[in-house]
Structures are given as structure tokens and as C-alpha cells.
Amino acid sequence: MSYHSDTIALTIGRMNQQYFLPTIQREFVWEPEQIMKLFDSIMRKYPISSFLFWEIRDQNREKWQAYKFLDKAKQGGTHNELAITDGVNNLSMILDGQQRLTSLMIGLKGTYVTRKKGGRIANPDAWTTNKLHLDLLAAPSLDGEEDKDGLYYKFAFKDATPQPNSENFWFRVAQIMDFDERQKFDVFLRTKR
């Protein structure tokens, strides 16, 4: 068994291209608060543990069905779509880390659909499609105390990105994937003020 590390961006780019889920995996069950805590841990440079990959040999590909990672989760559960892995080079199944990897996918490329309080499940207007945001003006807790949600950084799922003002600068977390270097991000910030 070998170990190596990759960036989050590289890993996200391989999901549903090279990395898939075996059909023995359970559904994605994390709530928005758990996704925000994962991103909070990353911002705090905490380890988020390792992932266990199972490399499938080409001659064994037909023996295993695979699921795609979700990029759109829905409160109450979402079924993964079966993947077609024909022609996939270096096919790998994720045996441990599905909840964390799916959360990264949702935060960086996807959405989380939630039901409004009091809304009926069958009513399409009762559902809101949200994306992960970070308030860039909210100072992290410097005294080591977490907020009521257990976060040091101010993350929230929002249906739209609010306009910046003197108190908040909500940044859609997925936008970070647009910047391959710090200088481009700094230019973005200057143009938004």
C-alpha cells in the first residue's frame, strides 16, 4: 500500500473522471453544517484524515459497478447516479472518505438543496438551491472559541451571493477554483470593493 498527497483542486478534478464510488457505499448523509465544519477545518489547517482508494485493474472493470459523486445534494437524501466507466484510465474506487470527498465536491463545484421551514416536501417552491459561501470580512475567532455552529470562520449556504457592504463580503467558495495563483485572487478582491 502506498501513500501520497494531492491538492484538493487536483482531487476534485479527478472525481467522476477517474475516482468513483463502489455500489457498496452508503448514500451521502452529511448535513450543510457538517460540510461547513469540514471547510472550517481546512481553513484552520487541521488534518481531514486520509482517503482509501481501490485501484481497479482493467481486466476486472466489468466485475464492479460504480456510482458518480454527487455535485448536487438534497436535504433528506440523494441517490447517486450509476457511472459508466468504460474508457476510464486508472479507475479508482473510494472505500473510505466518501462523505468528505462529496462535501468537497458540493462546496467547490456543487449545490445543496434545502427545504424551507414549514414547506411541504411535494411543493417545488418549498426548496432552495444553495451554494457554500465564506464571509471574507468576518474575523476568525482569535480567542480559540467557536461560534454557536462550532465554526471559527463564517461559512454559510446561501441561495445567492449578497452584495458586499461595510460589514460583510460573502464570497462563493467555488470561485476559489477560478484562481490558480494568489495574485489573481488579490486583483479580484480589489475589483469587488
Side-chain angles (χ1 to χ4, degrees):
M1 183 179 294
S2 64
Y3 170 84
H4 73 275
S5 63
D6 281 326
T7 65
I8 291 172
L10 187 62
T11 301
I12 291 290
R14 290 179 179 158
M15 292 168 65
N16 295 334
Q17 301 295 318
Q18 180 183 350
Y19 301 157
F20 294 91
L21 296 166
T23 55
I24 58 173
Q25 284 280 12
R26 66 182 176 144
E27 285 185 355
F28 178 71
V29 296
W30 277 20
E31 296 291 326
E33 294 76 22
Q34 291 168 290
I35 297 171
M36 291 186 296
K37 284 182 180 180
L38 175 68
F39 277 85
D40 187 69
S41 293
I42 291 168
M43 292 284 291
R44 294 163 67 184
K45 298 185 180 179
Y46 286 178
I48 60 169
S49 196
S50 58
F51 304 103
L52 181 59
F53 294 83
W54 173 27
E55 293 180 16
I56 305 293
R57 293 185 182 130
D58 288 341
Q59 65 266 27
N60 294 330
R61 184 187 310 264
E62 297 298 319
K63 295 179 182 176
W64 305 102
Q65 283 191 312
Y67 285 128
K68 290 182 178 181
F69 281 91
L70 297 174
D71 60 2
K72 182 178 184 177
K74 187 173 183 179
Q75 185 178 16
T78 309
H79 294 285
N80 295 68
E81 180 183 336
L82 276 175
I84 297 171
T85 59
D86 296 335
V88 173
N89 293 320
N90 303 316
L91 173 65
S92 293
M93 302 282 195
I94 306 305
L95 296 179
D96 183 43
Q98 179 225 356
Q99 301 297 315
R100 288 170 287 144
L101 285 171
T102 301
S103 294
L104 289 172
M105 177 71 97
I106 289 167
L108 292 169
K109 285 196 165 194
T111 59
Y112 202 110
V113 179
T114 55
R115 187 164 43 104
K116 297 174 188 171
K117 286 189 178 193
R120 295 186 164 279
I121 291 174
N123 180 358
D125 294 332
W127 297 90
T128 304
T129 300
N130 303 288
K131 294 183 178 182
L132 184 61
H133 287 76
L134 170 65
D135 185 352
L136 298 177
L137 292 183
S141 174
L142 299 177
D143 59 7
E145 291 197 24
E146 302 168 345
D147 70 5
K148 63 179 176 47
D149 297 319
L151 302 174
Y152 286 84
Y153 292 91
K154 192 172 181 181
F155 284 98
F157 275 92
K158 297 185 170 290
D159 61 346
T161 305
Q163 287 296 316
N165 59 44
S166 61
E167 295 183 20
N168 305 100
F169 186 133
W170 288 101
F171 176 76
R172 189 169 42 85
V173 174
Q175 285 182 276
I176 200 66
M177 301 295 282
D178 295 336
F179 306 103
D180 57 357
E181 57 187 51
R182 175 66 189 242
Q183 183 180 6
K184 290 179 183 178
F185 183 68
D186 290 341
V187 169
F188 166 81
L189 289 177
R190 281 194 298 274
T191 63
K192 292 294 182 181
R193 290 184 185 174

